[in-house]
Amino acid sequence: DAGVIQSPRHEVTEMGQEVTLRCKPISGHDYLFWYRQTMMRGLELLIYFNNNVPIDDSGMPEDRFSAKMPNASFSTLKIQPSEPRDSAVYFCASRLGQGAKYFGPGTRLTVT
Amino acid sequence: SQQGEEDPQALSIQEGENATMNCSYKTSINNLQWYRQNSGRGLVHLILIRSNEREKHSGRLRVTLDTSKKSSSLLITASRAADTASYFCATPPSGNTPLVFGKGTRLSVIA
């Protein structure tokens, strides 16, 4: 298996623009997680899905953030409009049941 | 809120030495997991220790868990330059909830 796939790997955008991050989980995994990592706040859970259904989105910073999982093999995290303080590395991870969590390589987002 | 807190925040050692990192957590757990993150990369699962286990080994890794003190330690023996990374402990606060990560320990192994 190719592991968790994220795209793009790097994104540079201007404040106010819409940003869409993409994730393909490991085939067969029933949990998908979106995390954000910054030096100041460490690794924060934003939202997670179980069988494509959002279970807990309490970590989503504000209404500018939204996430979808239209099917078992694809999820998006959208920021609209983006702000400089959204600059971070965004990780997607997937898991089968209560097994180990597998992380993607991350998307480094820079909002200028 | 963070569940796991790693200590120290940064550690620098010579190649061949042992590296010990500690993790403290706040609430009851079913298991505790350690992850490694190389610079600019995603996290890689290293080892899981269950709440009824006290020690677990995997290669050069040794993990201990003291549920009475709500703490765990990760020991890397005979460290190598390739062990340079950030190490995170993570716990699922309850049941099937997702992991909560600490801020990590940055380990530097100098050749």
Side-chain angles (χ1 to χ4, degrees), chain B residues 4-74:
Chain B
E5 293 287 342
E6 293 89 349
D7 169 58
Q9 291 188 354
L11 179 62
S12 183
I13 59 174
Q14 295 289 327
E15 200 167 34
E17 294 180 340
N18 296 340
T20 300
M21 290 158 274
N22 303 299
C23 168
S24 60
Y25 57 92
K26 297 175 184 176
T27 63
S28 297
I29 59 172
N30 293 325
N31 65 72
L32 185 144
Q33 302 175 35
W34 284 91
Y35 287 77
R36 181 185 71 211
Q37 183 181 33
N38 290 83
S39 179
R41 313 287 283 273
L43 283 81
V44 175
H45 180 262
L46 293 177
I47 195 167
L48 181 153
I49 185 166
R50 302 193 188 284
S51 60
N52 61 354
E53 297 176 309
R54 291 296 168 260
E55 187 170 313
K56 199 164 184 178
H57 297 252
S58 177
R60 292 184 296 111
L61 306 180
R62 181 170 77 92
V63 170
T64 64
L65 179 63
D66 187 335
T67 53
S68 66
K69 295 182 180 178
K70 292 187 169 56
S71 67
S72 173
S73 68
L74 171 67

Side-chain angles (χ1 to χ4, degrees), chain A residues 9 31 33 35 37 39-43 45 48 91 95 97-106 108, chain B residues 2 30-31 33 35 37 40-45 48 88 92 95-103 106:
Chain A
R9 292 294 307 277
Y31 283 86
F33 306 83
Y35 285 88
Q37 185 179 37
M39 287 293 291
M40 291 296 293
R41 301 172 69 91
L43 200 63
L45 176 66
Y48 78 99
F91 288 101
R95 187 184 81 189
Q98 295 198 54
K101 192 173 287 184
Y102 292 82
F103 283 78
R108 182 174 297 277
Chain B
Q2 290 179 332
N30 293 325
N31 65 72
Q33 302 175 35
Y35 287 77
Q37 183 181 33
R41 313 287 283 273
L43 283 81
V44 175
H45 180 262
L48 181 153
F88 295 84
N96 211 19
T97 54
L99 296 173
V100 179
F101 287 84
K103 287 193 175 182
R106 294 188 304 280

